[in-house]
Structure formats: structure tokens, C-alpha cells
Amino acid sequence: MEESRFCKICNKERAKYTCPRCNLGYCGLSCYRHKEHSDCSEAFYKECCMEALEDQDVSSEEKQKMLEMLDRLEKEEVQNSDSNSDEGEELSERLSGLNLDTDSEKIWNRLTSKEQAQFNQMMKDGRLGNLVEVWTPWWDVKKVKIRDVDSENPDDKTPDVLSKIPDISKLLTKSKPSADIRNNLVNVLFAYVFVCRLYNGTHWDCPRESALKLVKGSDVLSKNSVCSSTSEAIQLGLTNSECKQSQVFLIELVSDVTKILRGPGRGEELKFVMAALSEILQLLKKCHTLYKKDIKVSSASSTDDREEKQLLFLAIKKLEFYLGWSQKCGMILHSVIPELRLEHGRLKEEFQETIQVKKSIERNLSQLRPPREDSKLIEELS
């Protein structure tokens, strides 16, 4: 069902009616009279009353009742506006001095039980999600034409590529890079796009949480896993305990990784890969710095803090290596794009088949259920 067909007040029921004044779709009388629509509904009632008062066929007694109704509506309107302003002022006073971005727990504790209940209800029925603007990833852009590659785009949100990138030839003096590096990078990028999507583009607002989620969400970074194929790299991401989201959400991450590997267009094939790896490295370094400060200030730092700090340090070294490798050998990554597209198609097809099987089971659920004991007894008696 299309979103536009839902009631614009409760966002749950189908909009069966349309307000004659503002064309708002609503499901019933309770929503029509809701405070969010009160200005329009009360004005409509007043208009009806005024038209009736002007009608010569209406008795004096009926006119007196309508005048009393108008007077009551005006008094209620004044009372509601006063109470709403008082509640707004009271809430602003309770939240004064708090940072709306970082003091979420304190803000929650200062809400009344009624306000907390309203917030929880909005989360359950999906209204809260409608208030949050969905982030558009920087890699989700149309292909750039060749003549536009060198032109500046003020709307370009692509992260900056680090200027100092290690020379891979100096890191590998006696050996050649493994052919599995391209698959390992797919696993790292899968964890990266997962974190970006999960935090709706605000991962820099909480660098510690997002960096740890990214590292632990990649088996290559956290467990030293080596991926022998593109499919294995994706499967490790899909089954990672840190990447718990809906199947639809996870499957579309494969498409995100493909877009990053493909780049914005010919002439800048490695731009997105280098930008993504640069941002990952900067995010991990930021988190690592925070851990160092905490451990330095507090002598009673936990073992977990020290282990996570070491995990970040090792992941940083890997990212520096991957950046150096991508700068010199990154074009090899384009060879995995067809494999990623096949993997994405296969996962979508498997998911659709699962949905069809589920629907089939639900349709035949009554036949699959065992007969009740009382029905057996009736059959025996008969």
C-alpha cells in the first residue's frame, strides 16, 4: 500500500476520508478531531454554525444552542493554546543546558512518563522513522561523463583521500601481494557501508562506537580471516554477529560495495575506493586516540579497553597496507564487480524464494497443523 494512502494523523489506518478544508486524508472521526488537525476541524464546525445562524428557517432556540457551542469552542481553543505553551516552556526549561546530540540518557530521564510513553509509541507505529531524513550515501551517484570528471561539483560529499599513503613496494620488499587481497577488501568495504547505513551517515558523531562496530563487523580486520573468493567475503559479512539487520538491508549492502568499486566514472575508477579506505583509516585512528587518552587518564582502565585498543592498532596497520596496495594495484578490484553483481542477484533471488515459501506455508498452515485432541474424541464417539 502506498504511503500516501495512510491517514496523515495516525499513520496506521487507511485514509478513507478527505478534509474539505485542507484536503488532508484521515481514517475516522477521532483523527479528524485530533489536536494536530484541531485548527481546521474547529474552523469547519464554526463555519457550519455560522451558516446555520444565518439560515432564516432555524428557530431561535437552535440559534442559541449554536451560539453556546461557538463560545465553548473559543474557550477550549484558548485553554489548549495556553496549556501547549506552558508544556513547551516547561520542556525547554527541563532540557536547558543539555546537549541534544550527546546527552541522550539525561534527556530521556527528564521526560515525563507520558512523554516517554508517547515516544515509545511513535517508535512502535513507525511515526518516529518518518521524522528522520534518510541519509543518501556519497557513493550513490550517477556515472559521471568523461568531460565532467575534472569539473568541480559543490554537492560532492566524497571523503578526502589521504595525501600520505604508504608505498606498497617498500612494505613488500621480498614478496608479492596475495591475490586474495581484493576479496579481503570486499569484506572490509562491506563492514564500512554497513556502519555508514546503520548510523544513517552520522558515524563521525560517535567515532568510538562506529569504529569498533566496523572493525568487529569485518572478519578480515578482527579475526585475520582470509577470503579466497568474493562470495566468501560477502558471506562472512552477512553472517557476522555485529551485522544484525534485516536480510533486505544486508543484501543491498552488496550493491553499495559494487558502486564503491566501480567509482564515479571513467578516469576516476579508484576515487571511491581510495576515499572509503581513507575515511575508514581516519575513523579508526580517531577511535584509537580516544582509547589512548582514556587509558592515560584512568589508571584503572579495563582489560577490554586495552584489548580493543590493540585490535584498533592492528586494524590501522592493515588499512595502511590496503591503501598502499589500492593505490598501485587497485584496478584489479574491477575484476570482482561482475562477481559481486552475480552474488547480489543470487541473494535477492534466494530471498524472494524464501518469501514465496513462507507465504505458501502460511496459506496452508491450517492443513499442516495436527488435529486437536477434542476433534479426535468427537470422531471416536461418532
Side-chain angles (χ1 to χ4, degrees), residues 205-256:
D205 293 344
C206 44
R208 189 193 298 264
E209 293 83 358
S210 56
L212 285 174
K213 176 72 74 173
L214 196 158
V215 172
K216 293 179 180 180
S218 167
D219 286 41
V220 169
L221 295 179
S222 60
K223 300 178 182 179
N224 294 321
S225 298
V226 177
C227 304
S228 58
S229 67
T230 304
S231 177
E232 182 183 359
I234 295 299
Q235 287 301 320
L236 286 176
L238 293 172
T239 56
N240 188 289
S241 59
E242 293 289 331
C243 301
K244 292 294 183 183
Q245 285 294 317
S246 69
Q247 197 70 4
V248 174
F249 180 92
L250 295 175
I251 290 174
E252 287 311 306
L253 297 182
V254 181
S255 177
D256 287 334

Side-chain angles (χ1 to χ4, degrees), residues 16-221:
K16 301 177 183 177
Y17 313 101
T18 302
C19 175
R21 287 178 57 85
C22 64
N23 293 323
L24 180 84
Y26 63 95
C27 61
L29 187 59
S30 60
C31 282
Y32 180 79
R33 291 176 173 174
H34 194 273
K35 61 182 181 180
E36 292 182 10
H37 189 243
S38 60
D39 291 342
C40 191
S41 59
E42 289 176 4
F44 177 71
Y45 292 143
K46 288 179 183 179
E47 286 180 3
C48 291
C49 289
M50 294 304 295
E51 288 176 2
L53 287 171
E54 294 172 359
D55 191 348
Q56 299 297 325
D57 296 332
V58 178
S59 65
S60 58
E61 185 179 350
E62 289 176 335
K63 287 185 178 182
Q64 182 61 35
K65 288 182 180 179
M66 290 179 186
L67 286 172
E68 291 174 0
M69 183 186 296
L70 281 173
D71 183 57
R72 186 170 66 253
L73 284 172
E74 289 179 358
K75 288 179 179 179
E76 288 179 358
E77 187 175 346
V78 172
Q79 289 175 356
N80 290 334
S81 62
D82 291 342
S83 62
N84 288 338
S85 61
D86 291 341
E87 289 179 5
E89 290 173 2
E90 184 187 350
L91 181 61
S92 62
E93 289 174 2
R94 281 183 278 139
L95 301 183
S96 63
L98 296 181
N99 188 318
L100 298 180
D101 294 325
T102 58
D103 298 332
S104 55
E105 186 174 351
K106 293 180 180 178
I107 292 172
W108 178 258
N109 292 332
R110 294 192 186 183
L111 296 177
T112 64
S113 57
K114 181 180 178 181
E115 290 166 344
Q116 291 178 354
Q118 288 175 342
F119 182 86
N120 288 329
Q121 184 59 38
M122 289 178 72
M123 286 189 64
K124 289 180 181 179
D125 58 30
R127 282 182 291 162
L128 195 63
N130 295 333
L131 302 177
V132 180
E133 183 179 356
V134 179
W135 172 69
T136 301
W138 55 264
W139 60 80
D140 199 9
V141 297
K142 295 180 179 179
K143 280 192 173 183
V144 181
K145 296 180 181 180
I146 298 176
R147 62 175 179 272
D148 296 331
V149 167
D150 297 328
S151 61
E152 294 184 2
N153 182 5
D155 298 326
D156 188 6
K157 300 293 191 292
T158 307
D160 294 330
V161 177
L162 293 175
S163 56
K164 294 182 180 180
I165 298 176
D167 187 351
I168 190 69
S169 60
K170 293 181 179 179
L171 297 175
L172 295 174
T173 56
K174 297 182 180 180
S175 59
K176 293 183 179 180
S178 170
D180 294 326
I181 291 177
R182 58 181 181 174
N183 301 320
N184 292 347
L185 272 171
V186 169
N187 181 259
V188 172
L189 290 174
F190 184 91
Y192 168 69
V193 296
F194 172 79
V195 166
C196 290
R197 291 278 192 183
L198 181 68
Y199 288 92
N200 201 35
T202 63
H203 43 286
W204 276 104
D205 293 344
C206 44
R208 189 193 298 264
E209 293 83 358
S210 56
L212 285 174
K213 176 72 74 173
L214 196 158
V215 172
K216 293 179 180 180
S218 167
D219 286 41
V220 169
L221 295 179

